[in-house]
Amino acid sequence: MKQSVFEIIENTRLVPQVYRMKLRGDTSAITAPGQFVNIQLDGLFLRRPISVCDVEGDVLTIIYKVVGKGTEAMSKMDSGKLDILTGLGNGYDLSKSGEKPLLIGGGAGVPPMYMLCKLLTREGKTPTVILGFNTAEEVFYKEEFEALGARVIIATADGSVGVKGFVTDAM
């Protein structure tokens, strides 16, 4: 675990209530896909745990959904600095995957799959990714996974796009 100050370099709305924030700072403690960070927000006692979506050099990407006061405050930030604990959680062990791994994530479980997919693809593996959402309006990062070379299957609870049902229905 490492405590660092990160600078907000981007905070973009992806779909209603879901944002992608890019931050610049010391990412050295983030060593595996599937780890998370804890973000301190002014005026709030508890830090906000957010999964790591990606790391490229000194740029950390997180994706979060607005669900309360903390994430609501984050959604309004377009610049500034944040106190962040990095390198939390064990992350995924890439050595345990086969040649054609199946990655499954729904809603808040989608972002940590991105870095995992990216690293598996770099190892020459061909992941299939199943992403689950409630409606077509909530779908995000489909194109980003496809750009990595992954086969992407979407499941929506209401059937408005992809397979109707849950991610398990798309397996």
Side-chain angles (χ1 to χ4, degrees), residues 60-93:
L60 164 67
T61 301
I62 59 171
I63 295 178
Y64 62 95
K65 183 174 184 177
V66 176
V67 293
K69 290 180 183 178
T71 49
E72 171 86 23
M74 286 173 58
S75 73
K76 296 175 182 169
M77 297 175 176
D78 56 3
S79 63
K81 297 185 184 293
L82 292 172
D83 180 307
I84 301 178
L85 298 177
T86 61
L88 302 172
N90 295 322
Y92 303 113
D93 181 352

Side-chain angles (χ1 to χ4, degrees), residues 100-114:
K100 296 180 180 182
L102 176 62
L103 309 182
I104 301 172
V110 170
M113 293 298 115
Y114 181 77

